[in-house]
Amino acid sequence: MSYKIVVDSCCDLTDEMKKWDNLTVVPLTLQINDYCILDDENFQQEDFISRMKANGGIAQSACPAPDAFKEAYEGDYDDVYVLTITDKLSGTYNSALQGKMLYEEEFGKGKNIYVFNSLATAGIETLTARKIKALADNGEKFDDVVSKVDDFILNRTGLYFCLESLDALKKNGRLFALAAKVLEKIRVKLICKRTQEGNISLAAQDLTINRATVKMANIICGELDGKDLSDDTLIISYVCCEERAKLVAQKISDKINFGKVEVLKASGLNSLYASDGGIIVSYSF
């Protein structure tokens, strides 16, 4: 059976994934005042972050229109697997579902289309897209791929992040899931994690970004202690702080033996919300 994978641009792509011939990326839109760009292969992280700083750290995003997803589902494929950022932080998941409805209204239900809610962003989408590909390439039936990937997202992935500034999240209304007391401590460096519902929760805090990232690495190592992760992957996504990302990767690798460790430049949407100096840690287990 032929298949296609459709992801939104919150998926941090590796060089290997960029070569997949059955992968389509549906970009979000990024905007700073009158400056508006697509979050696609032309995104320049350093330039965008510089523009954000000049604008007081403020930028906005818009999810793709349902028609963009509908067009991505077209083509001679039996199965279409769709993957988006958590529905708790963006309307992209709902847009992808509406795109499915539009496609089926126009072309009927001749192909299988399923929209996965990643319950996260960044490296979780990267890991999930790879999981879809591995199962589909192995000849798994559509329903089995859906079942196994949904289980993978919910029960076999984790995500933490530590940011220099939470201003972008706060100004775009993305901190609603954090307790009010957290907002009072906004000047300290917060370590946050993805909940099973796809929200943001507070895991810890510290006074400086360097101390906080080390603490985050230790928390992750404590959670994963004793697990055999030789077949699993650790992904560190970063925004204008590659050396910090490499340090976090090393701190975790010193204690946990992941089969693969990757350090990736964050996509546009992830760069907007993580902001300058932000680190997002994603992993499977």
Side-chain angles (χ1 to χ4, degrees):
M1 302 286 283
S2 61
Y3 74 94
K4 182 180 190 179
I5 299 174
V6 176
V7 300
D8 63 17
S9 58
C10 304
C11 181
D12 290 336
L13 299 181
T14 65
D15 290 338
E16 164 216 357
M17 293 173 70
K18 293 173 184 177
K19 297 176 183 177
W20 293 358
D21 59 7
N22 61 343
L23 176 71
T24 294
V25 180
V26 180
L28 282 82
T29 301
L30 311 176
Q31 186 169 358
I32 303 172
N33 294 328
D34 294 333
Y35 176 73
C36 186
I37 60 170
L38 288 177
D39 182 12
D40 58 17
E41 68 277 4
N42 297 312
F43 174 76
Q44 298 294 320
Q45 186 181 84
E46 292 79 5
D47 177 70
F48 187 79
I49 293 299
S50 176
R51 291 173 183 268
M52 274 188 67
K53 286 181 177 180
N55 195 46
I58 300 174
Q60 296 177 313
S61 65
C63 65
D67 275 329
F69 279 105
K70 180 187 81 73
E71 291 176 10
Y73 304 158
E74 297 176 10
D76 189 18
Y77 299 94
D78 300 302
D79 302 328
V80 179
Y81 302 102
V82 192
L83 178 63
T84 77
I85 184 176
T86 173
D87 64 335
K88 300 300 189 296
L89 296 181
S90 171
T92 303
Y93 174 72
N94 287 327
S95 186
L97 289 175
Q98 292 171 25
K100 177 185 176 183
M101 293 174 57
L102 292 175
Y103 179 90
E104 291 175 346
E105 285 177 3
E106 183 171 347
F107 300 105
K109 298 183 178 181
K111 68 170 66 172
N112 298 309
I113 302 174
Y114 186 83
V115 182
F116 293 100
N117 181 353
S118 74
L119 301 176
T121 186
I124 295 297
E125 288 198 45
T126 309
L127 295 169
T128 304
R130 283 178 172 163
K131 183 69 173 178
I132 295 169
K133 180 173 173 57
L135 292 170
D137 284 350
N138 197 42
E140 297 268 1
K141 294 181 179 178
F142 180 81
D143 289 344
D144 292 335
V145 173
V146 167
S147 176
K148 290 178 180 180
V149 171
D150 270 334
D151 178 72
F152 175 79
I153 291 170
L154 186 62
N155 299 310
R156 290 194 52 213
T157 60
L159 182 147
Y160 281 81
F161 64 87
C162 186
L163 312 182
E164 279 272 21
S165 170
L166 290 171
D167 285 350
L169 283 171
K170 184 181 177 182
K171 290 172 181 176
N172 283 279
R174 297 301 192 261
L175 285 175
F176 59 86
L178 296 179
K181 64 180 181 181
V182 171
L183 300 180
E184 297 173 2
K185 300 176 180 177
I186 207 72
R187 293 189 181 278
V188 302
K189 305 309 175 186
L190 303 183
I191 301 164
C192 299
K193 67 181 294 185
R194 183 276 308 261
T195 69
Q196 281 201 315
E197 295 75 33
N199 277 319
I200 299 170
S201 68
L202 177 65
Q205 63 196 51
D206 217 313
L207 295 177
T208 69
I209 189 67
N210 290 334
R211 287 173 49 147
T213 50
V214 171
K215 181 178 286 188
M216 176 176 65
N218 290 335
I219 291 171
I220 293 168
C221 290
E223 283 194 1
L224 299 176
D225 185 45
K227 294 183 182 291
D228 179 8
L229 301 174
S230 56
D231 291 329
D232 291 287
T233 300
L234 171 71
I235 296 177
I236 314 291
S237 303
Y238 66 89
V239 184
C240 300
C241 59
E242 184 174 6
E243 291 307 311
R244 180 181 296 157
K246 289 179 178 178
L247 176 62
V248 173
Q250 187 59 56
K251 289 288 185 183
I252 296 174
S253 298
D254 285 344
K255 297 180 180 179
I256 303 295
N257 184 31
F258 278 96
K260 180 184 289 187
V261 177
E262 297 174 291
V263 177
L264 303 176
K265 183 175 284 190
S267 71
L269 191 282
N270 296 323
S271 296
L272 189 164
Y273 286 122
S275 301
D276 189 28
I279 296 286
I280 307 171
V281 180
S282 312
Y283 53 89
S284 60
F285 58 89

